[in-house]
Amino acid sequence: MTQGAGQGPAARTETLRDFRVPAYVHDVPANMMAPEPVPDSPEPAPFPDGYTPTERDLPVITRGDTVPMETGQPAPVTGDGMGPLFVVGDVHGYLDELLAALHVKGLVDAEGAWAAGNARLWFLGDFTDRGPDGIGVIDLVMRLSAEAAAAGGYCKALMGNHELLLLGAKRFGDTPVNSGAGTATFQAAWLLNGGQKADMDRLQDVHLQWMSRLDAIEIEDDHLLMHSDTTAYLDYGDSIEAVNDTVRETLTRNDADECWDLFRKFTKRFAFRDGETGPGAVRELLGTFGGSRVVHGHSPIPYLLGEVGTEDADGEDSGPVVEGPHVYAGGLAIAMDGGVTMAGKLLVQQLPMDI
């Protein structure tokens, strides 16, 4: 049974190894699974109850080659009103890859300045951790938001589970929280999930304020935008406005257990993947919040496809092959996490997609 914030801890304090569970077990061969738990380790438990991690939750890949800035085509600019809509999947600190992908789509120029006029750009969350420059990514998104607004468009962002994790690590550190399976801390969870000391050292109040005010869910052009492929958003309200208000209020109260429970729910994944139940889960969200299709990040496309791949590969040939977004759940869901942390692809996609 899943326990939430406020419930009593288990009799034994779980250790890090208790939570080093294998990857999504239906996808990972037996010889790739993590070792059995070692109950006597002194480390605190980092993962929330119900969390389904990917095959490796601590990939930190520093790419040896600079990503080339390919010549991009300018994003189409319309006359009055708003321009075309673009979405960006999980970035995880890969600033060079992000700039290259935005440039290819004509959204920024060769210097990384907004170049798309009245176009609309949405980031689906997870800006930091695992990659080398999470704070640089946040700084870029904040700057593009101002530049896009001045040009008649906009650049906006959603809350991902890694934003909640970084906020929690900064605010609560090693303060014990009730994980639902023993005692955990945000600091331990952040480190195990790819937290970078360089990001924490550069984290400023302006970054914390920006992250804490992000929306959790939004709708654009009949697309329901969210970070995580989960129905847990329904736990926070029956409208987009209610969900966003509840999430912000939770963060404002600054209660460690409440924030952990929020993080726990945002880490859930794979709600839409099953061929029989997935479309129904999407329809439940669409029926409550509106829209005709869900667009999300969070779960790497190789995992949705059952392709484990590797997250510490040196060569391009050993990484997962991701050509673009993954449309699934009977055409009702679009996955945007191309697996940049596992040598995959950082995806920027114009909507709607021709399917």
Side-chain angles (χ1 to χ4, degrees), residues 332-348:
L332 296 175
I334 300 176
M336 284 292 301
D337 184 352
V340 67
T341 65
M342 47 199 299
K345 188 174 183 179
L346 199 158
L347 297 178
V348 179

Side-chain angles (χ1 to χ4, degrees), residues 61-87:
I61 302 172
T62 301
R63 303 189 191 282
D65 299 323
T66 301
V67 177
M69 292 291 285
E70 302 177 39
T71 302
Q73 297 297 320
V77 179
T78 62
D80 297 331
M82 302 310 298
L85 172 65
F86 294 83
V87 291

Side-chain angles (χ1 to χ4, degrees), residues 1-5 7-10 49 178-182 261 264:
M1 180 179 71
T2 299
Q3 296 178 347
Q7 293 177 274
D49 180 45
N178 175 27
S179 72
D261 195 56
R264 174 181 69 84

